[in-house]
Amino acid sequence: MPPADPRAGAIYDLGYRAYDGPRLGRRAAVLSLYVFTLRAAFGIGRRPAAKVVPVLVTAFAFIPALIQLGVAALIGSRVEVVAPWNYLGFSEVPVALFCAGAAPEVFGRDLRYRTLALYFSRPLRRQDYALAKSAAFITALAVPTLGPLLLLVIGNGLASEDVPGYLAGHWRELPQSLAAGLLIAAVAGLGSLAIAVHAPRRAHATAAIAAWFLLTLPVAAIIVEVGGGAGRYAAWFSPFDLLYGAALAIFGREPGADSIQGAAGLPIATYLLLALLHAAAALALILRRFQRVQA
Amino acid sequence: MNFPVARLTARMLLGQRRTLLVVLLALLPVGIALLFRLAAPADADPERFTARTLLGGMLTGTILPLVSLVFATGAFGQDIEDGTAVYLLATPVPRRDIVVARVAVAWLAAAALLVPAALTAGAIAIQGGDPGIVAGFAAAIAAGSLVYTIVFTWLSIATSRALVAGLLYAFLWEGALSGLFSGIRFLSIRQYTAGIAGTFFDLPASVYQPRLDPLPALVLAAAVGAVFLLLAVRRLERWETGEAA
Amino acid sequence: MSDSPAPAIELRAVSRWYGNVVAVNDVSFEVGPGITGLLGPNGAGKSTILHMMAGLLRPSAGEVRILGQPAWRNPAIYRSVGLVPEREAVYGFLSGREFVELAARLHRLPDPARAAARAIDLVEMGSAASRPCGGYSKGMKQRIKIAAALVHDPQVLVLDEPFNGADPRQRLHLMDLFRSMAAEGRTILYSSHILEEVERIADTVLVIVAGRLAASGDYRSIRALMTDRPHTFIVRSSNDRALAARLLDEPAIHGLAFEDGRLEVRARELLAAARALPAAARAAGVTLYEVRPTDESLESVFSYLVRR
């Protein structure tokens, strides 16, 4: 009802009450952010067009493993062409495209539409936000990087005539695959996110991530081939060559003579060490960005 | 050809920060060629390196599609994403002229970068080998960048995620899958480019062997270019403003 | 063109749906010269209708015609149509003058520079025209977009929320501009969800609610049609209570009340009440000082239509 004198100010009690019950707090906020980002990476809860690229690319990452298992099952051949330790050599293009397509979406919307203030006005801290989203993206990326390795290990085991005997000889491959798949997801994922948070537009981030993965491959190969003594260090600077080397180190394999790691002749443990360093540096870049960004 | 549209497109491309990155990308093969010239092992074969690794591998396989993709999406995708495309479309300019002007500018930009890059890098690396290799790849890149630009322009009009779709095409279809299914060579702009380059030189199959003969490569390239140009015009004539319901 | 019988804008049974969401539902109307306001709450389908008029959306059913020509897939209509889209984006790297000149060139005007200068003067952007559009304020972007739409002197001007971001002075200026264009016989159609913008300058109102045309015409005549809702007047006279007592005998009068010491009269029918009031005043020997309708503003019309 309007007051008698329309110029007199008044505040009406509409019956709103403040919430003073228990609140879920920081941990629940982190968890829901993690789940939300993980779903969004595969386009779950988004329009159908957003699902096409992640699903297609993930499917392609599984194809070499399926071919290997299928051929082994049909022909009964024990020739192991596609193995957990060399799998990245077959899946690098789908993995790169997964990162190029999905990584710009992880932080991109919040940075572009300046919605960060809505998060930071909650119990969530800045590093919580960055860590929860990064962890979710690494988890999403683990589907194409770790999934096919597990499929291969388990499939090979089930396909062998002597399952206990196979297990006795190959049980190490399971923890090794876990370590390699997660390492690939962490390094590739954090690296992509570090690029994405520094790119002003989604298109720039996509192009930069694709170039970081796919352009460095031929360039490093050429430099190692022709660059001589100093050129061999180029193998450290292409992310997939680095990760391939790290996977070799995890599985305790020696590089083949025709591989870039074999040509470079660098100690194989250095790849593992540098990959871990890479992930740490990328994470530091992401955290720094969100320490500084204006919410 | 509509000159106001062409001029606007050129200014859009020149004003974007990504253009600087693309220029760096085009300089990469020149740097690699210099490295090869200075540090290559004595047993290296310059013709093999130039045809197979430098021009046929890195430049046509990776840099050519990337540069064409960035320019094609920079010309059209950006305009549509920002909502500024309306200022061109709500005019009596026929949509065909808009597509042709944009394709022409994006192609000229890509070719103006890539052809000199191919010529320079090739001239540095070839070291007295058959100069037809360098000329052939330069000509083939000029043609290939046109086909790529047309296809990626169509993608920019047809989808809102042209960049990712273009990467999928260039790296998954033309790259990873074409190794498994050799029939893909008939549907691969990279193979058309290699086939056209093959007209200009004659190298033993162990050194460099395009997977398509020159004539089918040229015919297919022309057909794909023409079809996708028509599709792009058709798509733009039926273009609807993207609006959430 | 003026003697052509085709209406400037014509919608015939137009619907538009996105998937299974109906944005515009079987809308038909004609718009002639003058200023027409397309009014509706956010999400009612105003932008969808404007985009269909501008040939940027295909009607799912029905037909949109501009000056007798179909709007969809017919770039020729843009010779006589100017469009001001709602989105703020302009080519940030162009100066205001370059932006308007670009529009002039795209229309193949014989003297683009002069046409651009004229359009820029119309929206009073001369002083900022050499600065890049990227640095403009919201209102300036809005005005430079209007200049670009006016550069070819169109017969039909379609504007989506044109007053967004304009300050009150610019708003008045734009309203004057539209009025003078309407006086030249042009058709101006603009959308708004702000009532006073429409009430002040629109000759005709189209009210869109939930994708359907809820009302059209002069807003006073729309109001007159709403017979199930009584008209209310505030009456001031030399003796309110004597007048009230006399009014009770009038069958045209539906109700009486004293609100804040003023006499409020309610009636079902406007004309009958208009006859009854002076008759009652004369009979009661009371002098009428003021008879003022209380709810004739567009807002009350609008909220009535939206709620129904």
Side-chain angles (χ1 to χ4, degrees), chain B residues 4-5 8 11-12 79 81-84 86-93 95 237-241 243 245, chain C residues 16 18 47-48 56-58 72-73 75 78-79 83 85 87 89-91 93-94 98 105-107 145:
Chain B
V5 178
L8 176 78
R11 285 190 66 172
M12 283 177 76
D79 218 3
E81 194 183 314
D82 291 349
T84 44
V86 172
Y87 301 117
L88 298 185
L89 299 178
T91 61
V93 180
R95 304 278 162 98
E237 280 172 349
R238 288 166 176 75
W239 183 83
E240 297 188 86
T241 125
E243 188 200 10
Chain C
R16 167 74 205 203
Y18 299 91
S47 287
T48 305
L56 297 173
L57 271 181
R58 182 179 50 80
W72 176 240
R73 290 202 59 200
Y78 298 119
R79 286 184 211 290
L83 169 72
R87 279 181 76 173
V90 287
Y91 293 113
F93 52 88
L94 295 180
E98 287 170 325
R105 292 215 163 82
L106 294 172
H107 279 99
K145 279 158 55 186

Side-chain angles (χ1 to χ4, degrees), chain C residues 54-71:
Chain C
L56 297 173
L57 271 181
R58 182 179 50 80
S60 304
E63 195 183 21
V64 181
R65 287 179 166 269
I66 303 287
L67 299 167
Q69 302 283 315

